[in-house]
Amino acid sequence: SAPVGTDFIRNIVRDDLASGKHAHIKTRFPPEPNGYLHLGHTRAIMTDFGIAAEHGGECNLRFDDTNPAKEDPEYVQAIQDDIAWLGFQWHDLRHASDYFGVFHLAAIKLIQDGKAFVCDLSADEVRAYRGSLTEPGRPSPFRDRSIEENLDLFARMRAGEFPDGARTLRAKIDMASPNINMRDPAIFRIKHVEHQNTGNEWPIYPMYDYAHSLSDAIEGITHSLCTLEFEDHRPLYDWCVDNVALHDHPELLAPITEKGFPNEAAKPRQIEFSRLNLDYTVMSKRKLMALVQEGLVDGWDDPRMPTLQGIRRRGYSPQALRLFVSRLGLSKQNSTIDYTVLENTLREDMDVRAERRMAVIEPLRFVLTNLPDDHAELLNFHNHPKNAECGDRKVAFSNTVYIEREDFAEVPPKGWKRLVPDGEVRLRGAGIAKCTEVVKDADGNIVELRGTLDLESRPGMPGAERKVKGTLHWVDAKTAVPAEFRHYDRLFNVADPDDDSDGKTYRDHLNPESKHVLHGFVEAAAAQAAAETFYQFERIGYYVADRKDHRASAPVFNRSVTLRDTWMQ
Ligand code: ATP
Ligand code: MG
Ligand code: MG
């Protein structure tokens, strides 16, 4: 893919400005409000909003709400929140349903021009007549109805006289076209369903291609950018734009100009780019919906979900996401991106921006017997090893700390650099400690270590630089706050969960190890963090204070990503 700024779409836009074809760029992002936005949508959002912004143009947010049975105001709100979170601002907020009156007048015009007809074939019959890639379609027996009869039947469709599916309004194009989309596609269907915006005003609803192309024309969109699956629809898109010709027929805009919308009608151009796909995940709204409805995840914002809400809760910043997507660029070649690429981008972003804190996830008490019981001091720590602007903080230290259980081994494996009986390690920022005693319970489980702190190795002392094999993180047992750590991993354990060629579906490929909840401690400063604060917990990974559940008194941290790639097949 070409790097940002030089991709094929940006080149077209620049050429259109240079040639004077357009003086002003206008784009739109047109989600259907039938689910939450996912990672893939980020590419469309960055392309639509990004290109407009780069040229001082405008990008509308338009809800493509032509399928009332599946749409919901919950999604309308969530989509707005997600776009704002990503850092983009729309010009006008519109709904395709704002234009239902225009679509209706335009359909009457097509009928009057002999370019649309009312068809009585059932859905199954339409399919049978439509033919296939190898076989031309057959004309509907209703194709040659008179204009008067068509006008009358369409008026009665609109009046709600007929039941769902009894009739459709079809564009009269070409039943022999090699492009099946051009074989007299339906442009209006009967559906007695309440709409989230228009209530029960309409018993007929426009079909996607017709509504989408005309919505772009109404808003004066110059470049209508979408994904490759719409390439075969472009001839129909152009047909609708050219044959309705809103830019030459302002009278068709009356239903919206009466409501105060400006007349901006123009002729848009559709350009397609490849979808963003990621391995180890599914990204169709239908499948994401199934995961939620079947309880296979903890909701749309489960941190394992590729929804923007999920990714956000996992700890991805808008900066990291935008960096990931912009590096991939834009092309016409479909490809699937390695999950590791996404994770590495987060590591890169976090390494620079995440302040460091200490947390211990599986605690083991370590008592330093040469310090008095009431020893209490505040040690100074840099918040970031490479960025002085992050400042310093005080970390409490006493005669008892927690270290990670896995940082101690009674019988160490070869090459072990951590604590062993009678061995020494550095406790980060506090000095060098020696383990002199291993305390066990009746069952032989290690319950506590005891040892001494080398008082000559304290910060600022001449012995502070003395070399020992390992440095461990720790928290002060007297002031650390009990915390919940939610460890997430890939939701699926195969790279292509969509592949059902072996008879298995994505449900069979869920990774049973994708979520573990652990209980340990964080230093007091981390507990105080506001929700969505992200940290590197030293030696453990990058974590974010959970957006919903984190409290200073009961901290909850989600693991965003490990420090290094540890995924193993
Ligand atoms: P899905 O197929 O996942 O349900 P969709 O294409 O139906 O998604 P829409 O809400 O209709 O979702 O999409 C809004 C815009 O986002 C469209 O222009 C679509 O082309 C684009 N888009 C959707 N998925 C991706 C993706 N994976 N990569 C890039 N753009 C996408
Ligand atoms: Mg869709
Ligand atoms: Mg789709």
Side-chain angles (χ1 to χ4, degrees):
S1 290
V4 177
T6 64
D7 57 74
F8 73 104
I9 298 182
R10 284 176 166 84
N11 290 343
I12 292 172
V13 169
R14 265 192 219 108
D15 288 350
D16 286 348
L17 287 166
S19 72
K21 181 180 177 194
H22 297 295
H24 191 76
I25 300 302
K26 192 157 179 194
T27 58
R28 87 287 169 267
F29 174 64
E32 187 183 351
N34 62 349
Y36 283 74
L37 295 181
H38 52 61
L39 182 61
H41 287 112
T42 311
R43 173 175 288 172
I45 290 170
M46 287 177 62
T47 303
D48 295 327
F49 286 91
I51 288 179
E54 286 157 27
H55 297 286
E58 291 152 0
C59 179
N60 284 354
L61 170 59
R62 184 204 315 138
F63 289 103
D64 245 322
D65 56 349
T66 53
N67 199 358
K70 291 192 181 159
E71 293 157 4
D72 196 287
E74 173 192 347
Y75 306 132
V76 171
Q77 188 54 51
I79 288 170
Q80 293 177 59
D81 294 346
D82 285 344
I83 295 171
W85 175 72
L86 271 178
F88 295 99
Q89 184 53 60
W90 49 89
H91 178 65
D92 284 327
L93 192 155
R94 301 279 181 92
H95 292 77
S97 56
D98 294 334
Y99 312 141
F100 280 174
V102 179
F103 303 154
H104 176 244
L105 286 189
I108 293 171
K109 173 184 186 286
L110 289 174
I111 296 172
Q112 285 165 338
D113 293 346
K115 291 174 178 171
F117 65 98
V118 173
C119 180
D120 303 357
L121 292 181
S122 69
D124 285 341
E125 289 166 331
V126 168
R127 238 188 311 282
Y129 274 79
R130 193 185 292 137
S132 66
L133 281 176
T134 52
E135 177 201 12
R138 284 174 294 137
S140 159
F142 304 99
R143 198 173 202 260
D144 293 321
R145 272 181 165 147
S146 69
I147 289 173
E148 289 65 37
E149 189 182 3
N150 281 320
L151 286 172
D152 173 60
L153 286 171
F154 188 55
R156 291 163 62 192
M157 280 170 65
R158 195 266 170 268
E161 267 186 45
F162 310 121
D164 287 5
R167 292 191 158 92
T168 51
L169 182 70
R170 296 174 67 180
K172 197 187 281 188
I173 308 181
D174 179 5
M175 288 308 289
S177 171
N179 184 337
I180 294 176
N181 294 310
M182 298 297 273
R183 295 182 187 171
D184 293 1
I187 58 177
F188 263 102
R189 59 184 168 153
I190 301 173
K191 223 171 164 58
H192 295 267
V193 182
E194 185 170 307
H195 187 282
Q196 51 139 343
N197 257 358
T198 57
N200 291 306
E201 187 185 343
W202 296 92
I204 54 172
Y205 289 98
M207 302 302 288
Y208 178 82
D209 291 298
Y210 177 74
H212 186 76
S213 55
L214 294 189
S215 301
D216 283 347
I218 288 169
E219 293 174 21
I221 301 304
T222 54
H223 299 83
S224 174
L225 312 173
C226 62
T227 37
L228 278 178
E229 70 269 24
F230 295 104
E231 197 166 22
D232 287 350
H233 296 243
R234 194 188 333 135
L236 176 55
Y237 180 100
D238 289 338
W239 187 94
C240 294
V241 168
D242 291 338
N243 286 281
V244 173
L246 288 168
H247 43 287
D248 291 332
H249 291 277
E251 73 280 6
L252 300 175
L253 299 172
I256 59 167
T257 47
E258 280 162 11
K259 286 194 273 183
F261 288 77
N263 175 358
E264 302 168 285
K267 201 176 130 99
R269 169 179 176 187
Q270 176 178 306
I271 308 169
E272 310 85 15
F273 57 86
S274 63
R275 290 176 83 87
L276 193 168
N277 299 305
L278 192 67
D279 64 7
Y280 291 97
T281 193
V282 295
M283 239 168 353
S284 103
K285 278 188 259 178
R286 184 175 55 79
K287 289 178 183 170
L288 297 176
M289 175 90 70
L291 290 172
V292 173
Q293 288 180 344
E294 293 168 26
L296 300 170
V297 294
D298 307 326
W300 284 102
D301 62 353
D302 184 306
R304 293 165 294 180
M305 289 280 273
T307 51
L308 291 183
Q309 301 264 334
I311 283 184
R312 174 177 182 178
R313 224 176 144 189
R314 180 72 170 263
Y316 279 78
S317 62
Q319 290 90 329
L321 271 191
R322 293 204 308 255
L323 182 64
F324 170 69
V325 173
S326 69
R327 277 186 183 159
L328 298 176
L330 273 183
S331 79
K332 284 230 179 228
Q333 245 60 54
N334 274 317
S335 65
T336 301
I337 310 304
D338 275 8
Y339 197 85
T340 314
V341 176
L342 176 67
E343 291 190 325
N344 281 339
T345 312
L346 182 61
R347 289 186 183 105
E348 208 181 303
D349 178 56
M350 290 287 105
D351 182 44
V352 176
R353 298 192 309 121
E355 292 193 0
R356 274 50 169 174
R357 294 289 185 273
M358 291 196 290
V360 169
I361 297 197
E362 286 189 80
L364 177 58
R365 277 168 70 87
F366 187 9
V367 183
L368 302 164
T369 54
N370 62 332
L371 294 180
D373 256 351
D374 59 355
H375 181 84
E377 70 181 303
L378 291 172
L379 299 171
N380 195 56
F381 273 67
H382 297 314
N383 286 329
H384 196 290
K386 288 170 276 189
N387 185 353
E389 279 178 24
C390 292
D392 290 354
R393 72 182 186 286
K394 299 290 181 204
V395 177
F397 181 67
S398 70
N399 74 333
T400 307
V401 296
Y402 291 121
I403 63 168
E404 296 286 351
R405 228 157 234 285
E406 63 168 32
D407 282 337
F408 176 77
E410 250 190 319
V411 185
K414 218 170 155 255
W416 181 257
K417 291 205 175 69
R418 301 176 243 171
L419 195 58
V420 294
D422 294 319
E424 280 188 326
V425 287
R426 185 183 304 279
L427 296 176
R428 152 115 49 236
I432 295 169
K434 181 173 187 172
C435 168
T436 55
E437 188 187 345
V438 180
V439 183
K440 296 184 179 177
D441 65 13
D443 300 325
N445 301 311
I446 300 172
V447 291
E448 185 177 288
L449 304 178
R450 302 174 76 80
T452 52
L453 187 70
D454 173 0
L455 300 175
E456 293 302 311
S457 71
R458 306 297 326 275
M461 298 292 287
E465 302 307 316
R466 181 160 72 82
K467 281 213 161 41
V468 285
K469 267 194 198 152
T471 299
L472 305 187
H473 64 276
W474 51 271
V475 292
D476 169 37
K478 291 176 180 164
T479 56
V481 181
E484 178 171 318
F485 300 91
R486 297 176 183 167
H487 282 188
Y488 296 106
D489 211 325
R490 294 166 203 208
L491 187 52
F492 296 96
N493 51 24
V494 296
D496 184 7
D498 286 316
D499 177 12
D500 52 10
S501 55
D502 56 359
K504 292 184 170 177
T505 76
Y506 61 99
R507 289 179 185 79
D508 302 313
H509 298 303
L510 284 166
N511 173 12
E513 302 295 326
S514 64
K515 179 181 176 184
H516 289 288
V517 178
L518 301 158
H519 292 93
F521 294 91
V522 290
E523 60 172 273
Q528 296 299 326
E532 296 202 275
T533 305
F534 46 83
Y535 291 126
Q536 183 194 99
F537 286 143
E538 298 210 34
R539 298 181 61 237
I540 304 180
Y542 294 103
Y543 286 76
V544 66
D546 188 70
R547 194 179 165 200
K548 274 192 180 165
D549 300 335
H550 174 79
R551 304 282 178 275
S553 56
V556 178
F557 284 95
N558 300 328
R559 186 171 71 191
S560 310
V561 69
T562 52
L563 292 179
R564 276 167 292 280
D565 187 16
T566 53
W567 177 255
M568 275 177 293
Q569 271 294 71

